[in-house]
């Protein structure tokens, strides 16, 4: 059971191309999500994003180009408290964008695919659509 004062969080990469956004799906799950993951003890957001994208997509994020897209939270239906937080960044990269063993597949989604991603990712889809970046 988690400490009620600690909100689980993820550092995520938001890569948009031609009105579509890169998403990935792990083995054994149906929903897609933005690539990224949980911070290791002592890691900065940049260190987390670099490590996670290398692990998931065999690509190297350039931390000098990271730009904060937003921090998105889902709230508990029970008490309205924050339930999960995702800190999102764009960044330039080098490498192939090839799914690793832990990732079953990657794809490029438009806004019409919103129902195929997790609840917190849907908030990002909404923000990208509102800013005109997602078709």
């Amino acid at each position: 059971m988690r400490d009620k004062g600690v909100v689980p969080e993820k550092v995520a990469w938001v890569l948009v191309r031609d009105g579509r956004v890169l998403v990935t799906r792990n083995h054994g799950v149906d929903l897609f999500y933005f690539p990224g993951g949980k911070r290791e003890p002592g890691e900065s957001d940049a260190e987390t994003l670099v490590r996670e994208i290398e692990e998931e997509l065999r690509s190297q994020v350039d931390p000098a180009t990271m730009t904060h897209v937003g921090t998105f939270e889902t709230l508990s239906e029970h008490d309205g408290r924050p339930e999960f937080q995702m800190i999102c960044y764009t960044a330039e990269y080098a490498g192939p964008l090839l799914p690793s063993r832990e990732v079953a597949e990657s794809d490029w989604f438009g806004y019409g695919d919103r129902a195929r991603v997790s609840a917190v990712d849907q908030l990002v889809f909404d923000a990208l659509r509102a800013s005109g970046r997602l078709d």
Side-chain angles (χ1 to χ4, degrees), residues 3-129:
D3 177 350
K4 290 187 184 220
V6 177
V7 178
E9 66 180 17
K10 172 184 176 176
V11 178
W13 188 32
V14 177
L15 180 60
V16 180
R17 281 191 189 158
D18 301 322
R20 301 180 78 69
V21 66
L22 179 67
V23 292
T24 55
R25 182 183 63 79
N26 280 353
H27 295 280
V29 296
D30 294 328
L31 290 177
F32 284 78
Y33 60 90
F34 288 104
K38 294 179 182 166
R39 186 187 330 269
E40 296 290 333
E43 273 186 335
S44 67
D45 286 358
E47 291 166 332
T48 302
L49 197 62
V50 166
R51 177 181 53 76
E52 287 287 344
I53 299 311
E54 172 65 33
E55 289 175 4
E56 293 181 5
L57 293 167
R58 303 175 193 171
S59 296
Q60 295 75 45
V61 167
D62 179 356
T65 65
M66 285 176 59
T67 302
H68 186 245
V69 173
T71 299
F72 302 86
E73 285 184 338
T74 55
L75 303 176
S76 168
E77 291 181 17
H78 172 70
D79 60 12
R81 295 171 74 174
E83 187 172 65
F84 185 80
Q85 179 174 287
M86 190 164 66
I87 307 159
C88 298
Y89 294 92
T90 60
E92 298 298 318
Y93 72 97
L97 297 176
L98 290 174
S100 68
R101 287 182 295 176
E102 71 183 63
V103 176
E105 67 179 308
S106 63
D107 205 345
W108 294 91
F109 279 8
Y111 192 75
D113 300 301
R114 182 180 178 275
R116 298 176 61 197
V117 300
S118 72
V120 70
D121 288 42
Q122 289 180 11
L123 299 174
V124 183
F125 269 58
D126 293 344
L128 292 171
R129 176 67 177 247

